[in-house]
Amino acid sequence: MAADLLIRDALVLDGTGAPGVVADVAVTDGRVTAVDDGRSDARAAGAHRTVDAEGRALTPGFIDMHAHSDVQILANPDHTAKVSQGVTLEVLGQDGLSFAPVDERTRTAIRAQIAGWNDDPPGFAWDWESVAGYLDRLDHGIACHAAYLVPQGTLRHLVVGPDERPATPVEVARMGELLAQGMREGALGMSSGLTYTPGMYADDDELAALLRVVAAHDGYYSPHHRSYGKGALEAYAEMIDLSRATGCALHLTHATMNFAPNKGRAGELLALIDAALGDGVDITLDTYPYLPGSTTLSAILPSWSFSGGTDALLARLADPADRERIVDELEHVGTDGCHGCVAEWDTIEISGVQNPALAGRVGRTVEAIARDEGRAPGDVFVEQLIADRLGTTILQHVGHEENVRAIMQHRTHTGGSDAILVGGRPHPRAWGTFPRYLARYVRELGVLTLEDCVHHLTGRPAARLRLVDRGLVRPGYAADLVLLDPDTVQDAATFEDPRQQATGIDLVLVDGVAVIDDGARTDALPGHALRRTGSGTR
């Protein structure tokens, strides 16, 4: 029987890290049916469509281990930013804050808190509450596949509320019940945002109780831990100790060493991870190939200021005494929201706003705005939050190139964009993460080999997610595939002009259906939710 598609003479990089092999690859009914290196008859069988791939590489679809597309993948299903990079699977529900499980009160609070991550699209149908309901909504047609982590901060919102206090034993048990339900409904694990409220109010006993639930369901824990700055190594050690104590697999997400105190210290983090791996702790990590980070402007506030929720925070920002205390902690003490470091206003650049009247500030640092307006940076910061009702997103220019290169070479490394797709000038990682790995860190700098880099972005994350039939180019596997030119693939997104499609990626298949064809977006929406089952993730 003729194949639906035959890709001829491609350099097949199968996702294992093995050397590439020139072969023909046949696809039928959304599956790879043959990988012919001259020993079988894929070519002789013919095909309804044939693509001459000579000089180009065929890889598994890229897996984005840390995505913030939870609403955008539904509200704007074209999703060109991701599929044009070759992404065929995103892991959502990150940093402890997302939209399932929720009730109406919790959803309203989270929509306000993380509007800067996903926008709050007018007329959007919020028609689910459970994890199962959200995954079912994804099945209605999306550009690429998506998997989900139950967000620990959302659980706390739902059960404990927004207050800064310990959870009671009854509340911890209830969060565990909801977590277990979400895992049974298909979630792959749990995430935390331990510099975001209310998740950051959880102590280690509370987290350990939840991790035991995740471990019982064979999932993994993906924490945004308590500091990527002054206390980074201690924060990493805390997560590793929790993994060791509970037996829960650990995935260290956006595993960076940022801010001035951590310049050149990646080796200390990697030594900590290697020691734990030697003890049998199950650890992987992901990073993005850029120096600046991106988050909401409100994220750098001290945690005490959030207690009681959004309205309570806005009231504190308007109160002269609380406002003075907040600015003093930011500028002279260092806040837990800012990773224990003081705010350096010249490194904090506004990248997106919800209030159109503030659009002129996009692309400018807090310090530059204050200088031009003849005002104190702390005053600009507070009034920006009030005027935008916390909807402002920022870039933080706090990374170090030597740390980025060292961490991406680690044997447990995978790729994650941490991409916010909305805002006037989103971080270019939203459009450029995966081609940037291939262009800058493979072709230009030689930090990774091509085969190894593809393994980092495909087969290795697939193993962490326990994908049953994805992540490799192999007969019988789903045809999530990328055809690219390793000599010309290039990220085009910049900080000044971030919404630019990469070049050199010609064909992207999701379940055998082209979402990128001849370098252009098609109108296909073949993606769906992938769910954890007893036998793996499908």
Side-chain angles (χ1 to χ4, degrees):
M1 183 177 69
D4 295 331
L5 173 66
L6 179 65
I7 302 172
R8 296 179 51 172
D9 295 324
L11 176 66
V12 177
L13 305 171
D14 67 1
T16 67
V21 176
V22 175
D24 296 344
V25 174
V27 174
T28 303
D29 292 332
R31 297 272 160 181
V32 175
T33 50
V35 180
D36 179 4
D37 58 2
R39 294 178 297 219
S40 63
D41 59 355
R43 185 178 299 193
H48 295 293
R49 179 188 178 189
T50 299
V51 173
D52 183 357
E54 185 175 2
R56 290 177 286 177
L58 186 71
T59 77
F62 301 141
I63 298 172
D64 189 341
M65 289 293 287
H66 189 103
H68 285 289
S69 309
D70 307 49
V71 172
Q72 287 298 308
I73 198 172
L74 296 169
N76 296 292
D78 179 80
H79 216 41
T80 303
K82 289 303 187 67
V83 295
S84 66
Q85 297 181 56
V87 171
T88 59
L89 169 60
E90 297 183 307
V91 184
L92 308 175
Q94 300 287 350
D95 290 342
L97 289 166
S98 189
F99 302 100
V102 293
D103 57 17
E104 188 59 35
R105 172 191 59 82
T106 305
R107 181 192 292 122
T108 299
I110 293 172
R111 283 170 65 180
Q113 184 174 349
I114 60 172
W117 291 2
N118 264 271
D119 201 359
D120 194 354
F124 183 75
W126 300 90
D127 57 0
W128 71 87
E129 291 188 346
S130 66
V131 170
Y134 178 65
L135 296 179
D136 288 346
R137 178 71 178 273
L138 293 171
D139 283 340
H140 291 173
I142 52 179
C144 62
H145 303 308
Y148 190 70
L149 301 171
V150 178
Q152 172 255 331
T154 297
L155 292 176
R156 215 173 198 275
H157 254 304
L158 187 59
V159 175
V160 182
D163 296 336
E164 182 179 8
R165 66 170 178 83
T168 68
V170 170
E171 289 168 337
V172 173
R174 179 56 180 154
M175 286 188 280
E177 291 170 357
L178 291 168
L179 174 59
Q181 178 181 336
M183 296 290 294
R184 290 192 299 270
E185 291 172 349
L188 275 57
M190 184 181 80
S191 75
S192 284
L194 299 177
T195 66
Y196 300 125
T197 59
M200 69 192 306
Y201 300 145
D203 61 21
D204 282 358
D205 288 342
E206 180 180 327
L207 293 173
L210 297 177
L211 293 194
R212 291 188 183 97
V213 174
V214 176
H217 289 82
D218 201 22
Y220 72 94
Y221 180 42
S222 181
H224 169 125
H225 51 266
R226 299 191 195 274
S227 176
Y228 290 83
K230 188 175 182 180
L233 286 175
E234 293 81 3
Y236 281 115
E238 177 191 9
M239 298 299 101
I240 291 170
D241 288 346
L242 279 168
S243 177
R244 181 183 282 111
T246 62
C248 185
L250 178 65
H251 181 78
L252 297 170
T253 197
H254 42 53
T256 56
M257 290 287 285
N258 285 341
F259 300 90
N262 291 319
K263 183 175 175 59
R265 299 184 66 190
E268 296 174 61
L269 167 61
L270 299 179
L272 182 69
I273 293 171
D274 285 336
L277 289 168
D279 292 339
V281 183
D282 183 358
I283 304 175
T284 50
L285 59 88
D286 69 63
T287 67
Y288 48 82
Y290 297 86
L291 302 189
S294 180
T295 187
T296 58
L297 185 61
S298 63
I300 71 172
L301 287 163
S303 60
W304 62 263
S305 65
F306 275 93
S307 184
T310 299
D311 289 340
L313 169 59
L314 289 168
R316 291 186 182 102
L317 292 172
D319 178 81
D322 284 338
R323 175 180 182 141
E324 182 178 358
R325 178 185 171 191
I326 288 169
V327 173
D328 180 68
E329 289 189 20
L330 279 163
E331 294 184 337
H332 301 110
V333 179
T335 70
D336 43 9
C338 201
H339 306 275
C341 298
V342 297
E344 298 176 348
W345 301 119
D346 62 334
T347 69
I348 297 172
E349 176 187 342
I350 293 175
S351 59
V353 296
Q354 295 289 300
N355 183 347
L358 302 170
R361 291 183 166 183
V362 171
R364 303 170 68 202
T365 66
V366 172
E367 182 176 85
I369 295 167
R371 183 179 61 248
D372 292 347
E373 296 181 1
R375 304 168 61 209
D379 290 340
V380 170
F381 166 79
V382 170
E383 291 171 17
Q384 176 76 26
L385 289 174
I386 294 171
D388 210 20
R389 287 194 61 83
L390 313 184
T392 301
T393 52
I394 59 171
L395 304 179
Q396 278 188 287
H397 297 269
V398 291
H400 307 288
E401 179 68 22
E402 64 271 37
N403 288 346
V404 170
R405 295 189 194 188
I407 293 169
M408 74 169 61
Q409 295 178 75
H410 194 263
R411 58 195 167 109
T412 66
H413 173 265
T414 66
S417 70
D418 193 16
I420 295 172
L421 301 178
V422 301
R425 282 196 190 178
H427 196 302
R429 64 194 182 192
W431 287 77
T433 291
F434 294 87
R436 182 173 174 83
Y437 269 116
L438 297 164
R440 178 165 174 77
Y441 291 97
V442 173
R443 188 176 67 238
E444 297 174 15
L445 299 176
V447 174
L448 299 171
T449 67
L450 180 60
E451 293 86 352
D452 194 30
C453 184
V454 170
H455 177 51
H456 286 223
L457 305 181
T458 61
R460 186 179 291 162
R464 162 53 77 213
L465 302 179
R466 292 186 59 224
L467 299 181
V468 171
D469 56 0
R470 299 177 194 275
L472 301 175
V473 183
R474 183 171 290 178
Y477 272 51
D480 296 344
L481 302 171
V482 179
L483 183 65
L484 60 88
D485 187 338
D487 294 328
T488 64
V489 62
Q490 184 69 56
D491 56 305
T494 65
F495 288 98
E496 295 74 25
D497 194 2
R499 289 187 172 90
Q500 298 298 309
Q501 183 174 329
T503 56
I505 296 177
D506 302 318
L507 181 68
V508 180
L509 303 179
V510 175
D511 279 354
V513 177
V515 292
I516 297 292
D517 201 346
D518 197 21
R521 180 69 173 96
T522 71
D523 60 2
L525 298 173
H528 57 84
L530 299 185
R531 296 167 171 83
R532 174 64 55 86
T533 67
S535 59
T537 302
R538 299 178 181 273

